[in-house]
Amino acid sequence: MIEIKDLRKEYPGFTLQCSLAVPAGTITGLIGQNGAGKSTLFKSLLRLIRINSGKVTILGKDLSEISENDMRMIGSVMAESGFSGYLTLRSIRRIMKSFYPAFREDWFTAQYRKFGLPDDRQIREFSTGMKAKLKVLCALSYGAKLLILDEPTSGLDVAAREDVLDLLRAYMKEDEERSILISSHISKDLETLCDDFYMIHEGQIILHEETDRLLSDYAMLKVTPEVYEKLDKQYILRTVQESYGYSCLTNQREYYQENYPEIVVEKIGIDEVVLHVIRGGKAQ
Amino acid sequence: MKGLMVKDLLLMKDQWKSTLIVLMMGFFMSFSFDSSVTIMYMTMIGCMLALGTLAYDEFDNGYQFLFTLPVSRRTYVIEKFAVVICWGICAMAAGFLMSALTGFLKNGVLQSFSLENCVGVLFSASILASIMIPIRIKYGSENSKIVIYVMFGIIAAAVLAFSKLKAAMNFANTVGQWLSGVSDTVIALTLIAVIILGITVSMFISFRIIEKKEY
């Protein structure tokens, strides 16, 4: 669905340089700190900015060949933009109908009523959460083959976030060929949703892993300096110095559990991996 | 294109209060002023209301969202010209209607209007659209105000210089004599050609501006 090869976008003081792939039928997460390059990557995919070099293929077509019709097969949510705040939901329904022949008006109406969004108030009067829900509903309302979602759950409370994630799961179930590229600063969302994820830091992809593998094989080893000295470091990805010694990130949890039964081996989530990959150094 | 049109019409529909005020002003003006003033006023205000949709699009990073919809940047520019021109023509028609109506109320006869009158108004409206659309796309609604003030300052200075030159060279008489030899139809057709040329050039400039922009 998406294939990015050596994409390069330069700004003064920042360069995005990355490659990634989102195959058909998968949900791929993109995680990284603020300013890591997530939005720049999304904007490149949606042709909102011009890339300096690299090859980007979406729906089997080069980015420069994507037509207005192809855009009808892509649904997107951008973190900081949406329909004009002066429009009402009722107006948006009419506009979506005009833009997308496949617009599912009944579904859209049922969903926004379910979310409690008023259709006679201007969008600028909506809360951040209401705006976020509306953006996701619009992106899902015409059966797009590919979703490109930049922080779609931003501003939502726990219950609303779960509702949105359920919508995304249902969207994938409807057609197994569909794909999603999603970014979120809430790693729990990605853990429960994504098949794999890419971690981006200072414009570079620094980790790509399947979510299942991350949750089952990645672990944190907590060791004293003495144990650290003797530790086999071939499967240690990153090391951070702590008050008690070292915490080490590994992608071979079982290996250390079997060979070093005396050390503390903790299962971890995406957040801990992100923190360690960013803060940690290579094992010495 | 259809989606953009619907969006702009719905945005303008929400401005019904401003539209109503404009219509009332136009109606009262038609009692006090010459019909050409009313028609020009209505057309210009109509164009300005349509140009206002550019500001709505810009609001809250709107362009960023708009270009993720099935809309190419060129389509966006073409649609803006179409909306401004159509809205200008509708407003001009309303101006004609008002002038005719007040003429009837005042003198008991329906006033007639010439083709040249229409073309003259359209010419002014097209100049407005051709200048404003590329400037608004390039500089945004806020910054474009400064650019427009500077531009009108330059135009005012040029007009002043031209009027002094005109007086010195007895330009009015020369041009007047030349124009009196040309038929009204030829002048109207020339103006139509200039309108089409001006809009085409402005549209291509707008294409270049919008295709270079990053959102």
Side-chain angles (χ1 to χ4, degrees):
Chain A
M1 280 284 179
I2 300 178
E3 204 173 333
I4 301 175
K5 231 174 173 186
D6 302 323
L7 181 152
R8 191 175 173 88
K9 173 67 188 171
E10 291 169 12
Y11 289 111
F14 176 81
T15 302
L16 171 73
Q17 187 160 25
C18 65
S19 299
L20 68 80
V22 181
T26 61
I27 306 180
T28 298
L30 187 66
I31 50 175
Q33 294 172 306
N34 290 339
K38 298 191 296 288
S39 293
T40 306
L41 179 57
F42 281 91
K43 284 182 188 177
S44 305
L45 290 175
L46 293 164
R47 298 187 302 175
L48 295 168
I49 55 175
R50 284 187 309 277
I51 59 173
N52 295 101
S53 61
K55 187 168 171 58
V56 180
T57 313
I58 296 183
L59 302 169
K61 282 188 175 179
D62 189 84
L63 199 58
S64 59
E65 292 165 6
I66 297 285
S67 65
E68 288 185 18
N69 223 21
D70 295 324
M71 290 302 283
R72 291 194 172 91
M73 288 186 270
I74 301 171
S76 62
V77 168
M78 292 302 288
E80 288 169 358
S81 67
F83 270 115
S84 170
Y86 291 93
L87 290 166
T88 63
L89 231 170
R90 212 174 285 163
S91 302
I92 287 175
R93 195 173 57 194
R94 289 179 65 182
I95 295 166
M96 291 296 287
K97 213 168 149 183
S98 310
F99 271 121
Y100 301 97
F103 178 62
R104 298 178 290 170
E105 193 175 2
D106 293 341
W107 178 90
F108 184 72
T109 310
Q111 291 300 327
Y112 75 63
R113 284 192 181 142
K114 190 178 138 194
F115 279 139
L117 304 179
D119 59 6
D120 54 351
R121 269 168 55 193
Q122 288 187 329
I123 306 301
R124 61 185 173 149
E125 294 170 25
F126 280 22
S127 68
T128 313
M130 289 159 94
K131 284 180 191 167
K133 286 177 197 168
L134 173 62
K135 284 195 266 187
V136 174
L137 286 183
C138 286
L140 294 175
S141 64
Y142 48 92
K145 280 187 181 173
L146 170 67
L147 294 183
I148 297 174
L149 312 174
D150 188 15
E151 297 280 357
T153 54
S154 175
L156 294 176
D157 57 44
V158 183
R161 248 171 44 216
E162 209 41 56
D163 287 341
V164 167
L165 296 178
D166 282 344
L167 278 177
L168 296 178
R169 289 186 192 104
Y171 161 87
M172 288 300 282
K173 264 189 192 165
E174 278 175 28
D175 182 350
E176 289 183 351
E177 287 296 297
R178 289 174 174 172
S179 300
I180 303 177
L181 175 64
I182 179 172
S183 78
S184 175
H185 65 278
I186 304 159
S187 58
K188 206 76 194 157
D189 291 353
L190 299 182
E191 276 177 20
T192 56
L193 186 73
C194 298
D195 299 299
D196 65 338
F197 73 91
Y198 287 83
M199 190 189 298
I200 188 167
H201 183 59
E202 293 175 351
Q204 310 257 343
I205 300 290
I206 54 171
L207 184 74
H208 174 218
E209 191 56 271
E210 286 175 15
T211 313
D212 288 346
R213 177 146 196 270
L214 182 136
L215 296 176
S216 65
D217 297 347
Y218 279 61
M220 195 71 70
L221 315 179
K222 294 188 168 177
V223 294
T224 59
E226 296 77 36
V227 175
Y228 182 73
E229 282 302 312
K230 292 175 202 158
L231 196 70
D232 178 359
K233 299 183 186 71
Q234 65 172 317
Y235 301 119
I236 300 294
L237 302 174
R238 291 284 194 280
T239 302
V240 174
Q241 197 159 12
E242 308 279 6
S243 54
Y244 55 81
Y246 296 95
S247 62
C248 310
L249 176 72
T250 179
N251 57 358
Q252 297 290 337
R253 182 172 59 86
E254 281 186 10
Y255 173 80
Y256 288 100
Q257 275 181 326
E258 284 167 14
N259 295 295
Y260 299 90
E262 74 281 9
I263 65 172
V264 177
V265 179
E266 282 181 357
K267 284 188 97 171
I268 53 172
I270 290 179
D271 273 342
E272 291 85 355
V273 175
V274 170
L275 269 176
H276 248 71
V277 170
I278 291 168
R279 285 170 50 204
K282 293 270 184 193
Q284 288 160 0
Chain B
M1 177 81 99
K2 188 184 160 199
L4 285 176
M5 288 270 189
V6 171
K7 172 189 71 64
D8 283 344
L9 289 175
L10 287 168
L11 278 170
M12 285 193 284
K13 195 190 90 183
D14 286 343
Q15 297 179 67
W16 64 270
K17 284 179 193 162
S18 322
T19 312
L20 195 69
I21 292 168
V22 167
L23 284 172
M24 283 170 66
M25 289 273 291
F27 191 69
F28 290 121
M29 275 176 80
S30 62
F31 277 101
S32 319
F33 294 94
D34 182 65
S35 62
S36 60
V37 177
T38 310
I39 294 161
M40 183 65 87
Y41 162 81
M42 287 296 293
T43 312
M44 289 301 184
I45 295 289
C47 288
M48 290 303 284
L49 281 175
L51 281 166
T53 58
L54 280 151
Y56 285 112
D57 291 344
E58 198 190 332
F59 181 75
D60 259 0
N61 283 324
Y63 279 126
Q64 199 181 84
F65 175 72
L66 268 183
F67 295 126
T68 63
L69 297 172
V71 173
S72 74
R73 298 187 184 202
R74 285 190 173 220
T75 305
Y76 177 80
V77 169
I78 293 167
E79 188 268 348
K80 276 299 159 211
F81 274 93
V83 165
V84 174
I85 291 166
C86 289
W87 209 243
I89 290 172
C90 288
M92 185 176 77
F96 276 116
L97 208 67
M98 275 176 197
S99 300
L101 186 68
T102 48
F104 182 74
L105 290 173
K106 280 197 291 190
N107 311 318
V109 283
L110 274 174
Q111 199 177 341
S112 63
F113 303 96
S114 63
L115 170 73
E116 293 77 35
N117 206 334
C118 292
V119 174
V121 175
L122 278 179
F123 180 71
S124 310
S126 73
I127 288 176
L128 180 76
S130 304
I131 291 173
M132 293 290 280
I133 292 177
I135 288 179
R136 284 225 167 162
I137 291 173
K138 186 167 175 68
Y139 297 102
S141 298
E142 273 311 304
N143 293 338
S144 65
K145 283 179 192 161
I146 302 164
V147 177
I148 287 161
Y149 292 148
V150 172
M151 206 180 66
F152 277 107
I154 294 168
I155 290 172
V159 168
L160 193 70
F162 180 72
S163 62
K164 290 202 169 172
L165 189 74
K166 193 176 76 174
M169 294 173 69
N170 200 14
F171 188 80
N173 281 347
T174 318
V175 173
Q177 277 169 9
W178 181 75
L179 279 178
S180 62
V182 183
S183 78
D184 288 351
T185 315
V186 171
I187 293 173
L189 286 174
T190 310
L191 282 179
I192 289 170
V194 174
I195 290 170
I196 294 168
L197 183 71
I199 287 174
T200 310
V201 169
S202 171
M203 207 180 274
F204 277 96
I205 291 169
S206 304
F207 286 163
R208 290 200 62 175
I209 293 169
I210 206 160
E211 280 168 357
K212 277 187 180 173
K213 281 205 101 167
E214 297 199 332
Y215 295 101

